[in-house]
Amino acid sequence: MIVSAYAAPSATEPLAPTTVERRDPGPHDVQIHIEYAGICHSDIHTARSEWGPARYPLVPGHEIAGVVTAVGADVTKFEVGDRVGVGCFVDSCRECAACRAGEEQYCERGMIGTYNAVGRDGEPTQGGYSTHIVVDEKYVCRIPEGIDLAEAAPLLCAGITLYSPLKHWNAGPGKRVAIIGLGGLGHMGVKIAHALGAEVTVLSQSLKKMEDGLRLGADHYYATSDPDTFKTLRGKFDLIVNTVSANLDMHQYFSLLAIDGTLVEVGLPEHPVPVNVFDLCRNRRSFAGSMIGGIAQTQEMLDFCAEHGLGAEIEVIAADRINEAYERVIASDVRYRFVIDTATLPAVAQ
Ligand code: NAP
Ligand code: ZN
Ligand code: ZN
């Protein structure tokens, strides 16, 4: 099926309308009508080849929410009409220890990204800025009733990327958790850490978004542009999750960790991050990283969000505003996720 999409033609050109071909559903595939696709900062890093050369034309989008429109003969998990989501990957080897443990994002042979990868069929994968996608049912999650589809879309990347480390490092009652950066990932971190019962602090560049941060569930809010912040908060946190898309001076942030505290990096800036190991030896601190989450945990996160009434705070946009939205994300002018309404993609004659 030929479907409408928006693609980056190269690293330096704006995204523009195009079409992509989606395969006919195989026995284990579900065909999904995408209703909403979130704009993740990773889409921008990739579209602009900031993480190395991307494959063009590139249709980004790995925060996909929609409805099943067809199922293959052997599909057991889904039926036509089900509300579903697809995140950052659409396949993996299914055999390695990571895949067997449900940590497909760490597949030893490499997960197959929702875009900028090559699928099992040898064709380039193309993402969610598009009206339809066909995905093996194993890599599709159910979006529970009670979460609006537009607000659910960002959970498929931003939501799981914060839920997974917060669970892994036991965010909960009695834990002092800081989230650096109140953007798409950060605002979900605040909501989820608060729902898990942790004491949550936002570390943002300024106090401009303080009212929002406190409303989303933060107990405290500090500006990192104020040098007093680093004096006041010295040694105060058990867990810090850094969601910032740009390079930060980590020395200052390590100083905020308590004994045995961990700073988890989920932001993926373009350039390497220098670390002074003295900052880690002092207070027996850990510096860790985390990447999205497996399919089972993504489903757990969606169910958790439904149970706690959590969705993303979104601004729904028409497809012709994608390029403008990219500029606003880069300028940290987003509250807190742009979501594309795919009904605004140009119609395609079938
Ligand atoms: P985003 O919406 O742009 O949020 C990033 C936030 O970082 C901004 O809102 C801003 O918060 C802060 N920030 C931006 N530039 C800054 C600077 N120069 N100095 C200090 N703070 C700055 O981006 P996102 O979609 O949440 O993604 C964040 C990063 O995570 C990206 O690098 C993305 O590629 C990566 N990512 C990683 C994973 C993973 O699995 N590990 C998954 C998804 C995304 P304030 O205005 O509050 O300061
Ligand atoms: Zn993402
Ligand atoms: Zn594997």
Side-chain angles (χ1 to χ4, degrees), residues 89 92 96-108 164 168 291-295 297:
F89 55 94
S92 64
C96 73
C99 284
R100 287 202 313 271
E103 304 267 30
E104 301 91 347
Q105 75 279 26
Y106 305 128
C107 173
E108 289 168 19
S164 188
H168 187 80
M291 202 167 67
I292 42 174
I295 295 296
Q297 196 177 38

Side-chain angles (χ1 to χ4, degrees), residues 65 119 128 159 167 194 281:
K167 290 288 283 189
H194 174 70
C281 294

